[in-house]
Structures are given as C-alpha cells and as structure tokens.
Amino acid sequence: MRDRPSPLAKPAVRRVTLAVDVVALSPRDDALAVLLVPAPDEARERWSLPWDGPRDGERIEDAGARVARALLGTTPSLVEQAGATSDGRRHPGHADLSIGVIALFPLGTGTPTIGSGAAWFPLDTLPVLSPRHRGLAARAARV
C-alpha cells in the first residue's frame, strides 16, 4: 500500500525576504530627480534605490520615510506606496518581495548626508539599475 500524505500535513513554508524600496523624488536643475545610493559590493550595478526591511510593527510608509530621512536628514513631505513586486527580477539585496514607496521632497530640500554616498540623478537619465529598481523608478515616473 502506498503512503499518502496526511490531509492535515502542512507544506514546508519558505521564509520570504521583504524590502521597502524608496523612490525619493525632488525637483533639481529643471528636472525631476531620483535619489540613488551606492549598490552593495556584490551587486552588478553601481547604484540602487535606497532600501531596507521594515522593522517589527512598522508601517510600510513609515519604513520608507525612515530610509529617506536617514539619507537626507529631513522627512519627506509625502510618502505613498507605489506597488509591490515579486516578479523574479533581480534585487540588489536579493529580496523576494519589494514594496515600492514614493517619497516626495520639495525644491531646495533633501541634501544627502555626508558619508551616505547618496546622490540625485535626473529621472530621465538614470544610470543602470537592477531590473526591479528600474521598474519601480519607471512606475514612479508614471504616477
């Protein structure tokens, strides 16, 4: 007789990694600009969107604001979810699921903190980003 799995047996659960990817936008030099940070050493690209995992009990928008504030020393005037993706495209931190947030900074605010390596890039001429980050930046441009 063949062994059958118990109908009560639960399938193995894989731990999913989550990243809150921040598309920080601000008007700079007559163009809308995106804040980028140096990519992790193991990444193929030189630049990436700022990202981090949410802390226990932290709302996604609050995590996005925290990431942006750490790099710019000021709180964005607006933080809004731009969508989530787990499309299998590469993420610089190898996250399974990315939740994109848009963080808006008014003209004249949002100077990157010294030592962060962060820099503003015109939205229409971004350097090469990971496929997932490129998609999130494109989605933010359409909003």
Side-chain angles (χ1 to χ4, degrees):
M1 187 164 164
R2 250 174 69 199
D3 286 337
R4 291 186 185 180
S6 163
L8 302 177
K10 295 182 180 178
V13 176
R14 183 174 73 85
R15 184 177 204 97
V16 175
T17 55
L18 172 66
V20 177
D21 298 327
V22 180
V23 184
L25 300 171
S26 181
R28 303 276 168 185
D29 299 324
D30 299 324
L32 193 57
V34 177
L35 184 72
L36 299 179
V37 296
D41 290 337
E42 68 275 3
R44 294 181 195 171
E45 298 78 17
R46 288 188 53 214
W47 296 96
S48 75
L49 294 173
W51 59 273
D52 196 7
R55 296 179 178 162
D56 285 343
E58 187 177 42
R59 292 179 43 238
I60 297 302
E61 292 86 355
D62 294 340
R66 173 179 50 81
V67 170
R69 187 173 43 254
L71 292 168
L72 298 170
T74 187
T75 302
S77 57
L78 177 72
V79 178
E80 186 74 34
Q81 279 191 44
T85 184
S86 62
D87 57 9
R89 296 187 299 171
R90 196 167 27 82
H91 183 278
H94 309 292
D96 297 311
L97 175 64
S98 289
I99 299 177
V101 297
I102 298 172
L104 300 180
F105 289 87
L107 179 65
T109 63
T111 301
T113 56
I114 295 173
S116 69
W120 291 101
F121 289 84
L123 183 59
D124 58 355
T125 58
L126 291 177
V128 175
L129 300 174
S130 72
R132 195 176 296 178
H133 281 181
R134 173 69 66 189
L136 287 170
R139 184 180 300 160
R142 291 189 304 265
V143 172

